[in-house]
Amino acid sequence: QSLDIRGDCMAQNPRVFVSHSKEDNDRFVVGFGERLRAKGIDAWLDFWELLPGDSLVDRIWNEGLKNCQAFIVVLSRHSVDSKWVREELNTAIVKRIEDKTRLLAVRLDGCEVPEALRSIVWIDVSDVTSYDRELERIVNSIYGQYDRPPLGDPPQYVGSEMLKLDELTPIDSAIFGRA
């Protein structure tokens, strides 16, 4: 059973697979995962999900990636060269096309973005100790919420009750209509 993560009402917490390099665990990924979970997002991180003796391939591909509604790849100088991250990203791109899985890229270190991700909007985290605004954008994206102000009422001169006079602009008609 698939879950539309962009719906207004979510029946369960969205499962999000976080692809990363282990070299980024202490400086960013652990805290990032904890912050996602605090926002009701079931972040799937290998170090929380894998136990000694587990099959990496079975658990990562058959549980983590297969069951995720969104995929986050943490790009860094370490992860862009990781074969594991590259394979996970390949799977995520297929899921994005076939299953419409949300694909998000979080860039650290100003590293180069892989070609496969250049057509999507990514989040830059320039300070791994302070990224509240960036986290909020990620959370909003996962829940399908846009951060835009509400629409106001249109100007009176475009209303249907306005006096319409030939050869006058709408604003001129509005001014003469009030006189």
Side-chain angles (χ1 to χ4, degrees):
Q1 174 180 352
S2 67
L3 172 69
D4 180 5
I5 65 168
R6 290 172 288 259
D8 291 334
C9 180
M10 297 192 61
Q12 63 184 15
N13 301 84
R15 163 79 52 99
V16 176
F17 185 91
V18 181
S19 179
H20 64 282
S21 172
K22 65 182 176 186
E23 285 86 359
D24 297 317
N25 284 354
D26 292 338
R27 75 177 183 129
F28 180 74
V29 176
V30 173
F32 178 64
E34 289 169 346
R35 292 182 75 183
L36 288 173
R37 292 185 66 79
K39 298 284 187 176
I41 297 167
D42 185 8
W44 200 101
L45 293 164
D46 58 357
F47 51 83
W48 289 336
E49 305 293 337
L50 298 173
L51 296 173
D54 284 348
S55 166
L56 291 171
V57 173
D58 286 347
R59 294 295 307 274
I60 290 173
W61 270 267
N62 294 334
E63 184 181 315
L65 285 165
K66 183 178 180 182
N67 297 323
C68 71
Q69 287 88 35
F71 178 96
I72 297 175
V73 58
V74 177
L75 301 172
S76 71
R77 62 183 179 269
H78 304 292
S79 68
V80 294
D81 294 326
S82 167
K83 292 178 183 174
W84 279 96
V85 171
R86 193 173 314 122
E87 288 299 320
E88 292 165 355
L89 181 56
N90 288 342
T91 300
I93 290 169
V94 171
K95 283 184 63 64
R96 179 177 182 238
I97 294 167
E98 291 182 355
D99 302 337
K100 300 192 183 332
T101 299
R102 193 86 168 148
L103 174 58
L104 295 97
V106 177
R107 183 171 79 157
L108 312 177
D109 311 324
C111 67
E112 186 172 343
V113 175
E115 191 68 37
L117 295 173
R118 291 189 185 171
S119 68
I120 67 169
V121 176
W122 63 82
I123 298 289
D124 267 313
V125 173
S126 56
D127 182 354
V128 297
T129 63
S130 178
Y131 56 94
D132 291 344
R133 185 179 198 114
E134 294 88 347
L135 179 70
E136 195 62 31
R137 289 208 45 164
I138 293 164
V139 170
N140 284 347
S141 179
I142 292 167
Y143 283 108
Q145 299 298 310
Y146 290 87
D147 188 22
R148 58 182 169 229
L151 278 176
D153 294 327
Q156 184 178 6
Y157 63 83
V158 297
S160 60
E161 298 176 17
M162 181 184 68
L163 174 66
K164 295 193 187 331
L165 301 173
D166 290 338
E167 300 180 19
L168 291 179
T169 65
I171 190 72
D172 289 339
S173 293
I175 291 169
F176 283 119
R178 289 190 176 261

